Amino acid sequence: MGSGGCATNVLGSRSSMTGWLLGGLLLALSLLSVRLGRLPPPFSWIRRRRKKPVRVYMDGCFDMMHYGHCNALRQARALGDQLVVGVVSDDEITANKGPPVTPLHERMIMVGAVKWVDEVIPNAPYAITEEFMNKLFTEYNIDYIIHGDDPCLLPDGTDAYALAKKAGRYKQIKRTEGVSSTDIVGRMLLCVRERSLGGSHNHSSLQRQFSHGHNQKVDDVGSGSGTRVSHFLPTSRRIVQFSNGKGPGPDARIVYIDGAFDLFHAGHVEILRLARELGDFLLVGIHTDQTISATRGAHRPIMNLHERSLSVLACRYVDEVIIGAPWEVSKDMITTFNISLVVHGTIAENMDFLKKESNPYAVPMAMAIYKKLESPLDITTSTIIKRIVSNNEAYQKRNEKKEASERRYYENKSFVSGD
């Protein structure tokens, strides 16, 4: 009995020691895994708790959506893990700013196609009320509300983001210089006034201002509003920020589509979506300002080459762009980029190229790698311009009001860090 009890004690001590050793080993392995960022299944709850995604919210009208909007969304996405975007309703825009140029369903397509956007909320209010803010925090699990450094004031002069700031859930990003929806509408209004005056010299002069981004007021075309023409300063850093940064794989099926992509709109987005579905890598050729002027008139393009390139690069369906693509798709170009398929939509500004001797798609057609895609939306750049022309007076009044607020912003502007 005595020796049996002793043996039992020895075995118990050994068992206890073994347990301590195993426990210590498991603890050491766990600590090492935490250090290396790899957690075993029993400790995976730590990762889940620590890696709860930070959800940020940004809202806007996103009317006449441009690369400035896209850059704002890019900056907002960088402040969190998931970006939720609220798109203001048509009625709210009309009440607070004047009639929108693009209706809600088109603006939803545009915002949803931006590659930094994870979720879209339609019919968002123009002003963030306490009720809507609580809905963002509880139903959408939003951590922070984001807006640019330019003031957003309601008709009564109050700050649209006052409640978010008071709650300590507001973060600010840097406004993208050189473009705004007001500016773009102003460019088109200038085109309308230029046409009424006539004269090819004025036409070409105006086109150069748009393309080169001359920062000057145009007061001598029948209006005292002093429409501000954009002063866009393209940088290599901005292009890198918008780029995907990776090329096609060795066996990738590369699809090519080209065009002006002026006033980048929902029709462009939808044809790019269809084109991307036909391959593994979508390469988009963007024509030069000179090519567009020669083929579509002296007033075009409204947006210059770099502006158009950034808008296309921000689209989630696009993998790479050729900035200043040639008008004709040559055999050398097809070989250089290893293009498998060249596509074109059925809705475009100029479909007469098929009737001309210098058909830009003659080579891919001869190689049997050309395909015509049925365009999902009957929208062109001219469609957008006609909307402005048909409601010229309303947009003129809207722009005069907005230009006054933008003038105050530039007069009081100070440096804001960010990119």
Side-chain angles (χ1 to χ4, degrees):
M1 288 290 291
S3 61
C6 182
T8 301
N9 289 337
V10 171
L11 288 172
S13 298
R14 288 177 178 173
S15 177
S16 177
M17 186 178 295
T18 303
W20 278 105
L21 287 171
L22 287 173
L25 181 61
L26 281 172
L27 180 61
L29 286 172
S30 300
L31 291 173
L32 180 62
S33 298
V34 170
R35 188 179 183 86
L36 295 176
R38 296 190 295 270
L39 293 170
F43 297 89
S44 59
W45 63 272
I46 299 176
R47 171 184 286 176
R48 287 197 298 271
R49 185 174 179 181
R50 187 175 59 188
K51 292 292 287 184
K52 175 185 176 297
V54 175
R55 286 169 62 82
V56 296
Y57 173 82
M58 187 173 194
D59 60 11
C61 302
F62 302 105
D63 194 21
M64 300 288 298
M65 193 162 183
H66 49 72
Y67 66 91
H69 290 132
C70 298
N71 192 47
L73 295 173
R74 180 191 65 79
Q75 291 181 78
R77 180 64 170 74
L79 295 176
D81 302 304
Q82 296 172 0
L83 174 59
V84 181
V85 180
V87 182
V88 178
S89 69
D90 293 341
D91 290 341
E92 288 271 288
I93 296 175
T94 302
N96 288 278
K97 300 176 70 173
V101 179
T102 48
L104 178 64
H105 72 276
E106 290 181 22
R107 292 184 285 119
M108 289 289 292
I109 290 173
M110 295 297 295
V111 174
V114 176
K115 59 186 174 185
W116 299 289
V117 174
D118 298 290
E119 189 177 337
V120 184
I121 302 174
N123 294 308
Y126 188 81
I128 296 183
T129 62
E130 189 166 359
E131 179 185 0
F132 184 71
M133 185 172 70
N134 290 333
K135 184 177 181 180
L136 289 176
F137 295 158
T138 56
E139 293 186 25
Y140 292 97
N141 298 315
I142 298 300
D143 295 291
Y144 297 101
I145 295 171
I146 317 293
H147 191 260
D149 63 277
D150 52 317
C152 183
L153 302 179
L154 299 175
D156 62 3
T158 57
D159 185 352
Y161 295 90
L163 288 173
K165 292 175 180 177
K166 185 178 179 181
R169 307 280 286 272
Y170 177 85
K171 288 190 176 184
Q172 182 175 282
I173 57 171
K174 185 174 182 177
R175 170 181 166 140
T176 303
E177 298 297 344
V179 71
S180 68
S181 298
T182 304
D183 170 53
I184 295 170
V185 171
R187 298 187 203 186
M188 286 185 281
L189 290 173
L190 285 175
C191 284
V192 174
R193 294 198 292 269
E194 281 281 319
R195 283 198 184 96
S196 67
L197 292 175
S200 59
H201 173 74
N202 286 342
H203 292 175
S204 59
S205 172
L206 187 62
Q207 193 277 327
R208 283 196 300 273
Q209 289 176 44
F210 293 165
S211 295
H212 298 165
H214 291 172
N215 188 11
Q216 65 184 68
K217 293 179 179 180
V218 183
D219 290 317
D220 56 351
V221 289
S223 173
S225 65
T227 299
R228 183 179 183 278
V229 177
S230 170
H231 187 58
F232 174 60
L233 300 174
T235 63
S236 58
R237 176 176 171 78
R238 182 72 75 228
I239 293 174
V240 170
Q241 289 169 336
F242 274 52
S243 300
N244 287 345
K246 58 182 180 181
D251 301 317
R253 177 176 169 83
I254 300 172
V255 179
Y256 178 75
I257 185 170
D258 61 5
F261 299 100
D262 196 15
L263 298 178
F264 195 64
H265 53 70
H268 291 139
V269 167
E270 287 296 272
I271 199 67
L272 291 174
R273 177 180 60 80
L274 291 186
R276 182 62 176 80
E277 290 174 355
L278 296 176
D280 308 305
F281 191 92
L282 181 60
L283 177 64
V284 181
I286 303 175
H287 295 147
T288 65
D289 298 337
Q290 292 76 17
T291 297
I292 297 168
S293 294
T295 57
R296 301 185 187 183
H299 283 95
R300 303 290 186 85
I302 301 296
M303 310 292 285
N304 69 46
L305 176 60
H306 285 93
E307 292 176 313
R308 292 181 285 115
S309 298
L310 289 176
S311 292
V312 175
L313 272 173
C315 181
R316 66 173 72 248
Y317 309 118
V318 176
D319 295 289
E320 181 64 286
V321 302
I322 299 176
I323 302 174
W327 175 250
E328 294 185 3
V329 182
S330 66
K331 178 69 168 64
D332 179 68
M333 179 179 168
I334 292 170
T335 302
T336 299
F337 291 100
N338 195 27
I339 295 170
S340 304
L341 183 67
V342 176
V343 300
H344 194 278
T346 53
I347 302 294
E349 292 284 320
N350 181 10
M351 295 297 291
D352 292 336
F353 61 83
L354 293 172
K355 303 173 185 177
K356 297 178 180 178
E357 292 182 6
S358 57
N359 179 358
Y361 303 107
V363 171
M365 284 178 172
M367 297 173 65
I369 60 168
Y370 175 84
K371 182 178 179 67
K372 184 186 291 185
L373 299 180
E374 191 70 34
S375 299
L377 295 177
D378 187 6
I379 303 173
T380 65
T381 301
S382 292
T383 306
I384 307 298
I385 295 174
K386 286 174 183 176
R387 292 174 184 174
I388 299 291
V389 173
S390 64
N391 205 3
N392 189 1
E393 185 176 347
Y395 288 119
Q396 185 68 59
K397 289 179 179 178
R398 165 182 156 172
N399 260 35
E400 287 174 0
K401 181 180 177 181
K402 284 292 293 177
E403 283 165 2
S405 65
E406 290 206 358
R407 195 176 299 114
R408 286 193 297 272
Y409 166 77
Y410 280 104
E411 287 171 354
N412 301 316
K413 175 184 165 185
S414 58
F415 175 76
V416 176
S417 63
D419 60 355

